Amino acid sequence: MIYAIVNQKGGVGKTTTAVNIAACLAEAGRRVLLVDVDPQANATSGLGLSVGEGLSTADVVLDGAAPSDAVRPTAIGGLDILPSHPDLAGATVTLPGAARREHVLADALRPLAAAYDYVFLDCPPSLDLLTVNALVASDRVLVPVQCEYYALEGLSRLMTTVAGVRDHLNPGLRVGGLLMTMHDARTRVSGDVVTEVRRHFPELTFHTVVPRNVRLAEAPSHGEPVISYDPHCAGADAYFEVAKEVASRG
Ligand SMILES: Nc1ncnc2c1ncn2[C@@H]1O[C@H](COP(=O)(O)OP(=O)(O)OP(=O)(O)O)[C@@H](O)[C@H]1O
Ligand SMILES: [Mg+2]
């Protein structure tokens, strides 16, 4: 199963979610690939790789490099990564002129995906052609939603984009779930936003709500997912539960 982690809003927890669900599923014995589709390369550095070392998604998308040559193991057993590079930003300029411009990533990942139980695509904060490529390459869309006012703003545009990709480019695409992130039990707004999102998307919202947890924010600077940085913190507990939900939803 291939998941695109998408929200055009920046800083809502996409990378944190991609890295930590991927690590939890690998820890549970699954073969997992994380594909960094964001030129910011936060998932790449967050898993301890030096950005710029070896081939990346930029080489795959822009130059037709074989993804199997770019994939690398991480310190987490069972978790591989296809790293990113800032050059991937050039895709917004060059991809529009490419043949099968919406399918470049899907075509590249197809031979690779069969070797994994789960593939997660960490997307940039936009709905541009790079994100459309990720949606075309995926079976499911997972949408992290930050617990703050305006959380719902932009979600309808996101859902319209997903529907458009499903109707015209990838009929198998489904929304796999909305995940509430950075919940702060001390503030009323956090609870209000969860209620509001559940009201709009009752079936789609994950039961687990990810709390605001400083260990989740610290872990990337140590190049680790939270389950190895601090396996018993509230953030690790939450992402283990999210991973279980992902596994059971299929
Ligand atoms: N549950 C959480 N508790 C505390 N901090 C968090 C949590 N989730 C994410 N963060 C922090 O918030 C910031 C934004 O998170 P993250 O990078 O995952 O978002 P993003 O959606 O991938 O951002 P971008 O749109 O720039 O790619 C990061 O500094 C991250 O460490
Ligand atoms: Mg990110």
Side-chain angles (χ1 to χ4, degrees), residues 7-18 38 40 42 122-126 144 146 181-183 210-220 235 239:
N7 191 330
Q8 74 272 31
K9 240 183 222 281
V12 298
K14 292 181 290 296
T15 301
T16 304
T17 296
D38 185 353
Q40 297 180 98
N42 294 146
D122 184 29
C123 292
S126 76
Q146 188 177 348
T181 65
M182 295 184 240
H183 181 265
V210 178
R212 188 171 278 285
N213 176 252
V214 69
R215 309 304 263 171
L216 283 171
E218 289 168 356
Y239 274 108

PDB file of all heavy atoms in Angstrom, residues 7-18 38 40 42 122-126 144 146 181-183 210-220 235 239, ligand 1:
ATOM      1  N   ASN A   7      -0.702  17.814   2.726  1.00  0.00           N
ATOM      2  CA  ASN A   7      -1.482  18.981   3.133  1.00  0.00           C
ATOM      3  C   ASN A   7      -0.718  20.180   2.604  1.00  0.00           C
ATOM      4  O   ASN A   7       0.483  20.293   2.862  1.00  0.00           O
ATOM      5  CB  ASN A   7      -1.639  19.049   4.658  1.00  0.00           C
ATOM      6  CG  ASN A   7      -2.660  20.094   5.090  1.00  0.00           C
ATOM      7  OD1 ASN A   7      -2.848  21.101   4.409  1.00  0.00           O
ATOM      8  ND2 ASN A   7      -3.311  19.866   6.219  1.00  0.00           N
ATOM      9  N   GLN A   8      -1.409  21.032   1.830  1.00  0.00           N
ATOM     10  CA  GLN A   8      -0.687  22.167   1.227  1.00  0.00           C
ATOM     11  C   GLN A   8      -0.339  23.220   2.261  1.00  0.00           C
ATOM     12  O   GLN A   8       0.433  24.135   1.983  1.00  0.00           O
ATOM     13  CB  GLN A   8      -1.492  22.766   0.060  1.00  0.00           C
ATOM     14  CG  GLN A   8      -2.701  23.591   0.436  1.00  0.00           C
ATOM     15  CD  GLN A   8      -3.959  22.753   0.585  1.00  0.00           C
ATOM     16  OE1 GLN A   8      -3.919  21.575   0.972  1.00  0.00           O
ATOM     17  NE2 GLN A   8      -5.106  23.355   0.304  1.00  0.00           N
ATOM     18  N   LYS A   9      -0.926  23.113   3.469  1.00  0.00           N
ATOM     19  CA  LYS A   9      -0.524  23.995   4.549  1.00  0.00           C
ATOM     20  C   LYS A   9       0.850  23.564   5.060  1.00  0.00           C
ATOM     21  O   LYS A   9       1.089  22.356   5.225  1.00  0.00           O
ATOM     22  CB  LYS A   9      -1.522  23.846   5.697  1.00  0.00           C
ATOM     23  CG  LYS A   9      -2.248  25.112   6.070  1.00  0.00           C
ATOM     24  CD  LYS A   9      -3.131  24.809   7.256  1.00  0.00           C
ATOM     25  CE  LYS A   9      -4.480  25.451   7.111  1.00  0.00           C
ATOM     26  NZ  LYS A   9      -4.527  26.859   7.422  1.00  0.00           N
ATOM     27  N   GLY A  10       1.705  24.516   5.350  1.00  0.00           N
ATOM     28  CA  GLY A  10       3.038  24.183   5.843  1.00  0.00           C
ATOM     29  C   GLY A  10       3.047  23.925   7.342  1.00  0.00           C
ATOM     30  O   GLY A  10       2.211  24.452   8.083  1.00  0.00           O
ATOM     31  N   GLY A  11       3.953  23.086   7.782  1.00  0.00           N
ATOM     32  CA  GLY A  11       4.209  22.897   9.207  1.00  0.00           C
ATOM     33  C   GLY A  11       3.094  22.241   9.998  1.00  0.00           C
ATOM     34  O   GLY A  11       2.962  22.461  11.196  1.00  0.00           O
ATOM     35  N   VAL A  12       2.278  21.407   9.344  1.00  0.00           N
ATOM     36  CA  VAL A  12       1.157  20.769  10.048  1.00  0.00           C
ATOM     37  C   VAL A  12       1.516  19.391  10.624  1.00  0.00           C
ATOM     38  O   VAL A  12       0.709  18.766  11.305  1.00  0.00           O
ATOM     39  CB  VAL A  12      -0.084  20.628   9.137  1.00  0.00           C
ATOM     40  CG1 VAL A  12      -0.587  22.001   8.689  1.00  0.00           C
ATOM     41  CG2 VAL A  12       0.216  19.742   7.935  1.00  0.00           C
ATOM     42  N   GLY A  13       2.727  18.908  10.308  1.00  0.00           N
ATOM     43  CA  GLY A  13       3.136  17.606  10.833  1.00  0.00           C
ATOM     44  C   GLY A  13       3.238  16.515   9.774  1.00  0.00           C
ATOM     45  O   GLY A  13       3.266  15.323  10.123  1.00  0.00           O
ATOM     46  N   LYS A  14       3.327  16.884   8.504  1.00  0.00           N
ATOM     47  CA  LYS A  14       3.442  15.866   7.442  1.00  0.00           C
ATOM     48  C   LYS A  14       4.706  15.015   7.624  1.00  0.00           C
ATOM     49  O   LYS A  14       4.644  13.776   7.639  1.00  0.00           O
ATOM     50  CB  LYS A  14       3.495  16.522   6.044  1.00  0.00           C
ATOM     51  CG  LYS A  14       2.206  17.194   5.612  1.00  0.00           C
ATOM     52  CD  LYS A  14       2.331  17.794   4.225  1.00  0.00           C
ATOM     53  CE  LYS A  14       3.239  19.006   4.162  1.00  0.00           C
ATOM     54  NZ  LYS A  14       2.769  20.176   4.933  1.00  0.00           N
ATOM     55  N   THR A  15       5.840  15.689   7.735  1.00  0.00           N
ATOM     56  CA  THR A  15       7.104  14.948   7.808  1.00  0.00           C
ATOM     57  C   THR A  15       7.195  14.143   9.097  1.00  0.00           C
ATOM     58  O   THR A  15       7.615  12.976   9.088  1.00  0.00           O
ATOM     59  CB  THR A  15       8.287  15.937   7.691  1.00  0.00           C
ATOM     60  OG1 THR A  15       8.158  16.629   6.447  1.00  0.00           O
ATOM     61  CG2 THR A  15       9.614  15.216   7.746  1.00  0.00           C
ATOM     62  N   THR A  16       6.777  14.751  10.203  1.00  0.00           N
ATOM     63  CA  THR A  16       6.785  14.051  11.495  1.00  0.00           C
ATOM     64  C   THR A  16       5.932  12.791  11.410  1.00  0.00           C
ATOM     65  O   THR A  16       6.319  11.717  11.894  1.00  0.00           O
ATOM     66  CB  THR A  16       6.239  15.002  12.589  1.00  0.00           C
ATOM     67  OG1 THR A  16       7.027  16.199  12.572  1.00  0.00           O
ATOM     68  CG2 THR A  16       6.286  14.362  13.960  1.00  0.00           C
ATOM     69  N   THR A  17       4.786  12.912  10.753  1.00  0.00           N
ATOM     70  CA  THR A  17       3.877  11.780  10.592  1.00  0.00           C
ATOM     71  C   THR A  17       4.477  10.719   9.671  1.00  0.00           C
ATOM     72  O   THR A  17       4.450   9.518   9.994  1.00  0.00           O
ATOM     73  CB  THR A  17       2.516  12.288  10.045  1.00  0.00           C
ATOM     74  OG1 THR A  17       1.932  13.147  11.029  1.00  0.00           O
ATOM     75  CG2 THR A  17       1.574  11.146   9.723  1.00  0.00           C
ATOM     76  N   ALA A  18       5.047  11.151   8.547  1.00  0.00           N
ATOM     77  CA  ALA A  18       5.615  10.194   7.585  1.00  0.00           C
ATOM     78  C   ALA A  18       6.753   9.399   8.234  1.00  0.00           C
ATOM     79  O   ALA A  18       6.783   8.158   8.183  1.00  0.00           O
ATOM     80  CB  ALA A  18       6.124  10.936   6.348  1.00  0.00           C
ATOM     81  N   ASP A  38       9.859  16.055  -0.964  1.00  0.00           N
ATOM     82  CA  ASP A  38       9.897  17.481  -0.634  1.00  0.00           C
ATOM     83  C   ASP A  38      11.318  18.008  -0.808  1.00  0.00           C
ATOM     84  O   ASP A  38      12.250  17.472  -0.192  1.00  0.00           O
ATOM     85  CB  ASP A  38       9.430  17.656   0.820  1.00  0.00           C
ATOM     86  CG  ASP A  38       9.321  19.123   1.227  1.00  0.00           C
ATOM     87  OD1 ASP A  38       9.726  19.998   0.437  1.00  0.00           O
ATOM     88  OD2 ASP A  38       8.831  19.374   2.343  1.00  0.00           O
ATOM     89  N   GLN A  40      12.637  20.365   0.542  1.00  0.00           N
ATOM     90  CA  GLN A  40      13.187  20.744   1.851  1.00  0.00           C
ATOM     91  C   GLN A  40      13.987  19.595   2.474  1.00  0.00           C
ATOM     92  O   GLN A  40      14.784  19.812   3.377  1.00  0.00           O
ATOM     93  CB  GLN A  40      12.074  21.141   2.820  1.00  0.00           C
ATOM     94  CG  GLN A  40      11.279  22.365   2.415  1.00  0.00           C
ATOM     95  CD  GLN A  40      10.194  22.684   3.443  1.00  0.00           C
ATOM     96  OE1 GLN A  40      10.376  23.537   4.289  1.00  0.00           O
ATOM     97  NE2 GLN A  40       9.066  21.993   3.364  1.00  0.00           N
ATOM     98  N   ASN A  42      13.343  17.375   4.658  1.00  0.00           N
ATOM     99  CA  ASN A  42      13.273  17.238   6.114  1.00  0.00           C
ATOM    100  C   ASN A  42      13.213  15.777   6.568  1.00  0.00           C
ATOM    101  O   ASN A  42      13.792  15.415   7.597  1.00  0.00           O
ATOM    102  CB  ASN A  42      12.060  17.980   6.682  1.00  0.00           C
ATOM    103  CG  ASN A  42      12.144  19.482   6.513  1.00  0.00           C
ATOM    104  OD1 ASN A  42      11.133  20.155   6.307  1.00  0.00           O
ATOM    105  ND2 ASN A  42      13.345  20.036   6.576  1.00  0.00           N
ATOM    106  N   ASP A 122       6.433  11.577   1.526  1.00  0.00           N
ATOM    107  CA  ASP A 122       6.354  12.833   2.276  1.00  0.00           C
ATOM    108  C   ASP A 122       6.349  13.990   1.276  1.00  0.00           C
ATOM    109  O   ASP A 122       7.316  14.196   0.558  1.00  0.00           O
ATOM    110  CB  ASP A 122       7.543  12.958   3.237  1.00  0.00           C
ATOM    111  CG  ASP A 122       7.434  14.208   4.109  1.00  0.00           C
ATOM    112  OD1 ASP A 122       6.293  14.646   4.383  1.00  0.00           O
ATOM    113  OD2 ASP A 122       8.487  14.752   4.511  1.00  0.00           O
ATOM    114  N   CYS A 123       5.226  14.720   1.229  1.00  0.00           N
ATOM    115  CA  CYS A 123       5.033  15.736   0.187  1.00  0.00           C
ATOM    116  C   CYS A 123       5.344  17.146   0.672  1.00  0.00           C
ATOM    117  O   CYS A 123       5.292  17.422   1.864  1.00  0.00           O
ATOM    118  CB  CYS A 123       3.586  15.673  -0.307  1.00  0.00           C
ATOM    119  SG  CYS A 123       3.249  14.148  -1.203  1.00  0.00           S
ATOM    120  N   PRO A 124       5.642  18.034  -0.273  1.00  0.00           N
ATOM    121  CA  PRO A 124       5.891  19.441   0.088  1.00  0.00           C
ATOM    122  C   PRO A 124       4.579  20.152   0.406  1.00  0.00           C
ATOM    123  O   PRO A 124       3.498  19.649   0.068  1.00  0.00           O
ATOM    124  CB  PRO A 124       6.528  20.015  -1.186  1.00  0.00           C
ATOM    125  CG  PRO A 124       6.034  19.151  -2.292  1.00  0.00           C
ATOM    126  CD  PRO A 124       5.792  17.788  -1.711  1.00  0.00           C
ATOM    127  N   PRO A 125       4.647  21.318   1.055  1.00  0.00           N
ATOM    128  CA  PRO A 125       3.416  22.060   1.393  1.00  0.00           C
ATOM    129  C   PRO A 125       2.842  22.800   0.188  1.00  0.00           C
ATOM    130  O   PRO A 125       2.833  24.027   0.147  1.00  0.00           O
ATOM    131  CB  PRO A 125       3.883  23.033   2.485  1.00  0.00           C
ATOM    132  CG  PRO A 125       5.342  23.223   2.238  1.00  0.00           C
ATOM    133  CD  PRO A 125       5.845  21.950   1.625  1.00  0.00           C
ATOM    134  N   SER A 126       2.366  22.060  -0.785  1.00  0.00           N
ATOM    135  CA  SER A 126       1.743  22.677  -1.961  1.00  0.00           C
ATOM    136  C   SER A 126       0.917  21.618  -2.674  1.00  0.00           C
ATOM    137  O   SER A 126       0.997  20.440  -2.340  1.00  0.00           O
ATOM    138  CB  SER A 126       2.808  23.213  -2.917  1.00  0.00           C
ATOM    139  OG  SER A 126       3.388  22.136  -3.620  1.00  0.00           O
ATOM    140  N   PRO A 144      -2.417  15.016   7.494  1.00  0.00           N
ATOM    141  CA  PRO A 144      -2.231  15.536   8.850  1.00  0.00           C
ATOM    142  C   PRO A 144      -2.909  16.907   8.954  1.00  0.00           C
ATOM    143  O   PRO A 144      -2.788  17.733   8.044  1.00  0.00           O
ATOM    144  CB  PRO A 144      -0.706  15.684   8.978  1.00  0.00           C
ATOM    145  CG  PRO A 144      -0.128  14.900   7.850  1.00  0.00           C
ATOM    146  CD  PRO A 144      -1.152  14.974   6.756  1.00  0.00           C
ATOM    147  N   GLN A 146      -3.368  20.112  11.606  1.00  0.00           N
ATOM    148  CA  GLN A 146      -2.912  20.683  12.879  1.00  0.00           C
ATOM    149  C   GLN A 146      -4.099  21.204  13.669  1.00  0.00           C
ATOM    150  O   GLN A 146      -5.021  21.808  13.106  1.00  0.00           O
ATOM    151  CB  GLN A 146      -1.924  21.823  12.608  1.00  0.00           C
ATOM    152  CG  GLN A 146      -1.259  22.323  13.869  1.00  0.00           C
ATOM    153  CD  GLN A 146      -0.224  23.412  13.604  1.00  0.00           C
ATOM    154  OE1 GLN A 146       0.170  23.647  12.462  1.00  0.00           O
ATOM    155  NE2 GLN A 146       0.206  24.053  14.666  1.00  0.00           N
ATOM    156  N   THR A 181      -3.039  16.549  14.557  1.00  0.00           N
ATOM    157  CA  THR A 181      -1.681  16.633  15.120  1.00  0.00           C
ATOM    158  C   THR A 181      -1.540  17.846  16.040  1.00  0.00           C
ATOM    159  O   THR A 181      -2.327  18.786  15.973  1.00  0.00           O
ATOM    160  CB  THR A 181      -0.628  16.776  14.000  1.00  0.00           C
ATOM    161  OG1 THR A 181      -0.835  18.019  13.331  1.00  0.00           O
ATOM    162  CG2 THR A 181      -0.707  15.632  12.994  1.00  0.00           C
ATOM    163  N   MET A 182      -0.500  17.779  16.867  1.00  0.00           N
ATOM    164  CA  MET A 182      -0.122  18.891  17.766  1.00  0.00           C
ATOM    165  C   MET A 182      -1.274  19.322  18.665  1.00  0.00           C
ATOM    166  O   MET A 182      -1.494  20.514  18.899  1.00  0.00           O
ATOM    167  CB  MET A 182       0.423  20.072  16.951  1.00  0.00           C
ATOM    168  CG  MET A 182       1.733  19.711  16.252  1.00  0.00           C
ATOM    169  SD  MET A 182       2.455  21.098  15.392  1.00  0.00           S
ATOM    170  CE  MET A 182       2.476  20.483  13.713  1.00  0.00           C
ATOM    171  N   HIS A 183      -2.009  18.326  19.164  1.00  0.00           N
ATOM    172  CA  HIS A 183      -3.121  18.612  20.065  1.00  0.00           C
ATOM    173  C   HIS A 183      -2.576  19.045  21.428  1.00  0.00           C
ATOM    174  O   HIS A 183      -1.696  18.390  21.983  1.00  0.00           O
ATOM    175  CB  HIS A 183      -3.976  17.343  20.219  1.00  0.00           C
ATOM    176  CG  HIS A 183      -5.169  17.529  21.098  1.00  0.00           C
ATOM    177  ND1 HIS A 183      -5.155  17.220  22.437  1.00  0.00           N
ATOM    178  CD2 HIS A 183      -6.409  18.010  20.823  1.00  0.00           C
ATOM    179  CE1 HIS A 183      -6.346  17.489  22.951  1.00  0.00           C
ATOM    180  NE2 HIS A 183      -7.113  17.965  21.986  1.00  0.00           N
ATOM    181  N   VAL A 210      -2.679  13.018  17.819  1.00  0.00           N
ATOM    182  CA  VAL A 210      -1.266  13.153  18.194  1.00  0.00           C
ATOM    183  C   VAL A 210      -1.097  14.399  19.067  1.00  0.00           C
ATOM    184  O   VAL A 210      -1.454  15.500  18.645  1.00  0.00           O
ATOM    185  CB  VAL A 210      -0.363  13.267  16.946  1.00  0.00           C
ATOM    186  CG1 VAL A 210       1.094  13.449  17.356  1.00  0.00           C
ATOM    187  CG2 VAL A 210      -0.520  12.036  16.057  1.00  0.00           C
ATOM    188  N   PRO A 211      -0.574  14.236  20.279  1.00  0.00           N
ATOM    189  CA  PRO A 211      -0.423  15.394  21.159  1.00  0.00           C
ATOM    190  C   PRO A 211       0.771  16.262  20.751  1.00  0.00           C
ATOM    191  O   PRO A 211       1.677  15.782  20.068  1.00  0.00           O
ATOM    192  CB  PRO A 211      -0.142  14.753  22.526  1.00  0.00           C
ATOM    193  CG  PRO A 211       0.557  13.475  22.197  1.00  0.00           C
ATOM    194  CD  PRO A 211      -0.060  13.001  20.893  1.00  0.00           C
ATOM    195  N   ARG A 212       0.751  17.518  21.163  1.00  0.00           N
ATOM    196  CA  ARG A 212       1.955  18.326  21.058  1.00  0.00           C
ATOM    197  C   ARG A 212       2.955  17.748  22.054  1.00  0.00           C
ATOM    198  O   ARG A 212       2.632  17.557  23.223  1.00  0.00           O
ATOM    199  CB  ARG A 212       1.627  19.784  21.390  1.00  0.00           C
ATOM    200  CG  ARG A 212       2.758  20.732  21.126  1.00  0.00           C
ATOM    201  CD  ARG A 212       2.305  22.174  21.275  1.00  0.00           C
ATOM    202  NE  ARG A 212       1.643  22.677  20.087  1.00  0.00           N
ATOM    203  CZ  ARG A 212       2.271  23.028  18.960  1.00  0.00           C
ATOM    204  NH1 ARG A 212       3.591  22.924  18.874  1.00  0.00           N
ATOM    205  NH2 ARG A 212       1.588  23.474  17.923  1.00  0.00           N
ATOM    206  N   ASN A 213       4.119  17.373  21.575  1.00  0.00           N
ATOM    207  CA  ASN A 213       5.077  16.670  22.424  1.00  0.00           C
ATOM    208  C   ASN A 213       6.478  17.086  22.003  1.00  0.00           C
ATOM    209  O   ASN A 213       6.876  16.893  20.846  1.00  0.00           O
ATOM    210  CB  ASN A 213       4.867  15.162  22.258  1.00  0.00           C
ATOM    211  CG  ASN A 213       5.874  14.335  23.028  1.00  0.00           C
ATOM    212  OD1 ASN A 213       6.764  13.722  22.452  1.00  0.00           O
ATOM    213  ND2 ASN A 213       5.751  14.319  24.332  1.00  0.00           N
ATOM    214  N   VAL A 214       7.225  17.636  22.931  1.00  0.00           N
ATOM    215  CA  VAL A 214       8.523  18.231  22.587  1.00  0.00           C
ATOM    216  C   VAL A 214       9.514  17.183  22.070  1.00  0.00           C
ATOM    217  O   VAL A 214      10.377  17.488  21.252  1.00  0.00           O
ATOM    218  CB  VAL A 214       9.084  19.029  23.800  1.00  0.00           C
ATOM    219  CG1 VAL A 214       9.494  18.093  24.927  1.00  0.00           C
ATOM    220  CG2 VAL A 214      10.250  19.904  23.369  1.00  0.00           C
ATOM    221  N   ARG A 215       9.346  15.924  22.503  1.00  0.00           N
ATOM    222  CA  ARG A 215      10.258  14.872  22.033  1.00  0.00           C
ATOM    223  C   ARG A 215      10.112  14.645  20.525  1.00  0.00           C
ATOM    224  O   ARG A 215      11.091  14.335  19.843  1.00  0.00           O
ATOM    225  CB  ARG A 215      10.011  13.555  22.780  1.00  0.00           C
ATOM    226  CG  ARG A 215      10.001  13.696  24.286  1.00  0.00           C
ATOM    227  CD  ARG A 215      11.265  14.301  24.810  1.00  0.00           C
ATOM    228  NE  ARG A 215      12.223  13.315  25.271  1.00  0.00           N
ATOM    229  CZ  ARG A 215      13.479  13.598  25.621  1.00  0.00           C
ATOM    230  NH1 ARG A 215      13.922  14.859  25.545  1.00  0.00           N
ATOM    231  NH2 ARG A 215      14.278  12.659  26.034  1.00  0.00           N
ATOM    232  N   LEU A 216       8.873  14.791  20.028  1.00  0.00           N
ATOM    233  CA  LEU A 216       8.646  14.661  18.577  1.00  0.00           C
ATOM    234  C   LEU A 216       9.390  15.753  17.816  1.00  0.00           C
ATOM    235  O   LEU A 216       9.894  15.530  16.713  1.00  0.00           O
ATOM    236  CB  LEU A 216       7.147  14.763  18.256  1.00  0.00           C
ATOM    237  CG  LEU A 216       6.289  13.536  18.536  1.00  0.00           C
ATOM    238  CD1 LEU A 216       4.811  13.881  18.374  1.00  0.00           C
ATOM    239  CD2 LEU A 216       6.659  12.398  17.590  1.00  0.00           C
ATOM    240  N   ALA A 217       9.457  16.942  18.417  1.00  0.00           N
ATOM    241  CA  ALA A 217      10.130  18.066  17.757  1.00  0.00           C
ATOM    242  C   ALA A 217      11.652  17.946  17.866  1.00  0.00           C
ATOM    243  O   ALA A 217      12.383  18.412  16.995  1.00  0.00           O
ATOM    244  CB  ALA A 217       9.651  19.378  18.371  1.00  0.00           C
ATOM    245  N   GLU A 218      12.118  17.305  18.941  1.00  0.00           N
ATOM    246  CA  GLU A 218      13.569  17.174  19.145  1.00  0.00           C
ATOM    247  C   GLU A 218      14.192  16.051  18.311  1.00  0.00           C
ATOM    248  O   GLU A 218      15.329  16.155  17.874  1.00  0.00           O
ATOM    249  CB  GLU A 218      13.861  16.853  20.629  1.00  0.00           C
ATOM    250  CG  GLU A 218      13.618  17.998  21.570  1.00  0.00           C
ATOM    251  CD  GLU A 218      13.643  17.557  23.039  1.00  0.00           C
ATOM    252  OE1 GLU A 218      13.783  16.334  23.315  1.00  0.00           O
ATOM    253  OE2 GLU A 218      13.503  18.426  23.897  1.00  0.00           O
ATOM    254  N   ALA A 219      13.435  14.981  18.133  1.00  0.00           N
ATOM    255  CA  ALA A 219      14.000  13.770  17.515  1.00  0.00           C
ATOM    256  C   ALA A 219      14.703  14.023  16.170  1.00  0.00           C
ATOM    257  O   ALA A 219      15.809  13.502  15.962  1.00  0.00           O
ATOM    258  CB  ALA A 219      12.905  12.698  17.374  1.00  0.00           C
ATOM    259  N   PRO A 220      14.106  14.832  15.248  1.00  0.00           N
ATOM    260  CA  PRO A 220      14.767  15.017  13.940  1.00  0.00           C
ATOM    261  C   PRO A 220      16.162  15.629  14.049  1.00  0.00           C
ATOM    262  O   PRO A 220      17.036  15.313  13.234  1.00  0.00           O
ATOM    263  CB  PRO A 220      13.830  15.977  13.186  1.00  0.00           C
ATOM    264  CG  PRO A 220      12.549  15.965  13.919  1.00  0.00           C
ATOM    265  CD  PRO A 220      12.814  15.543  15.313  1.00  0.00           C
ATOM    266  N   GLY A 235       4.521  11.128  22.443  1.00  0.00           N
ATOM    267  CA  GLY A 235       4.536  11.184  20.977  1.00  0.00           C
ATOM    268  C   GLY A 235       4.755   9.818  20.364  1.00  0.00           C
ATOM    269  O   GLY A 235       4.118   9.457  19.368  1.00  0.00           O
ATOM    270  N   TYR A 239       2.118   7.706  17.918  1.00  0.00           N
ATOM    271  CA  TYR A 239       2.405   7.232  16.560  1.00  0.00           C
ATOM    272  C   TYR A 239       2.341   5.708  16.455  1.00  0.00           C
ATOM    273  O   TYR A 239       2.001   5.172  15.400  1.00  0.00           O
ATOM    274  CB  TYR A 239       3.712   7.821  16.026  1.00  0.00           C
ATOM    275  CG  TYR A 239       3.460   9.182  15.400  1.00  0.00           C
ATOM    276  CD1 TYR A 239       3.875  10.350  16.025  1.00  0.00           C
ATOM    277  CD2 TYR A 239       2.742   9.288  14.211  1.00  0.00           C
ATOM    278  CE1 TYR A 239       3.602  11.598  15.469  1.00  0.00           C
ATOM    279  CE2 TYR A 239       2.466  10.532  13.644  1.00  0.00           C
ATOM    280  CZ  TYR A 239       2.894  11.679  14.270  1.00  0.00           C
ATOM    281  OH  TYR A 239       2.608  12.907  13.708  1.00  0.00           O
TER     282      TYR A 239
HETATM  283  N1  LIG B   1       3.057  16.537  17.654  1.00  0.00           N
HETATM  284  C1  LIG B   1       4.037  17.454  17.646  1.00  0.00           C
HETATM  285  N2  LIG B   1       4.457  18.017  18.798  1.00  0.00           N
HETATM  286  C2  LIG B   1       5.424  18.955  18.791  1.00  0.00           C
HETATM  287  N3  LIG B   1       6.044  19.390  17.700  1.00  0.00           N
HETATM  288  C3  LIG B   1       5.671  18.871  16.527  1.00  0.00           C
HETATM  289  C4  LIG B   1       4.670  17.858  16.421  1.00  0.00           C
HETATM  290  N4  LIG B   1       4.515  17.534  15.121  1.00  0.00           N
HETATM  291  C5  LIG B   1       5.383  18.291  14.443  1.00  0.00           C
HETATM  292  N5  LIG B   1       6.091  19.085  15.265  1.00  0.00           N
HETATM  293  C6  LIG B   1       7.101  20.074  14.905  1.00  0.00           C
HETATM  294  O1  LIG B   1       6.452  21.082  14.141  1.00  0.00           O
HETATM  295  C7  LIG B   1       7.240  21.479  13.044  1.00  0.00           C
HETATM  296  C8  LIG B   1       6.498  21.168  11.740  1.00  0.00           C
HETATM  297  O2  LIG B   1       6.325  19.756  11.645  1.00  0.00           O
HETATM  298  P1  LIG B   1       6.638  18.987  10.296  1.00  0.00           P
HETATM  299  O3  LIG B   1       7.969  19.375   9.765  1.00  0.00           O
HETATM  300  O4  LIG B   1       6.357  17.563  10.538  1.00  0.00           O
HETATM  301  O5  LIG B   1       5.500  19.618   9.394  1.00  0.00           O
HETATM  302  P2  LIG B   1       5.357  19.566   7.801  1.00  0.00           P
HETATM  303  O6  LIG B   1       3.888  19.614   7.526  1.00  0.00           O
HETATM  304  O7  LIG B   1       6.121  18.443   7.250  1.00  0.00           O
HETATM  305  O8  LIG B   1       6.056  20.936   7.367  1.00  0.00           O
HETATM  306  P3  LIG B   1       6.349  21.374   5.840  1.00  0.00           P
HETATM  307  O9  LIG B   1       5.018  21.806   5.307  1.00  0.00           O
HETATM  308  O10 LIG B   1       7.326  22.509   5.969  1.00  0.00           O
HETATM  309  O11 LIG B   1       6.910  20.188   5.129  1.00  0.00           O
HETATM  310  C9  LIG B   1       8.544  20.734  13.162  1.00  0.00           C
HETATM  311  O12 LIG B   1       9.463  21.534  13.852  1.00  0.00           O
HETATM  312  C10 LIG B   1       8.175  19.505  14.001  1.00  0.00           C
HETATM  313  O13 LIG B   1       9.260  19.004  14.731  1.00  0.00           O
END
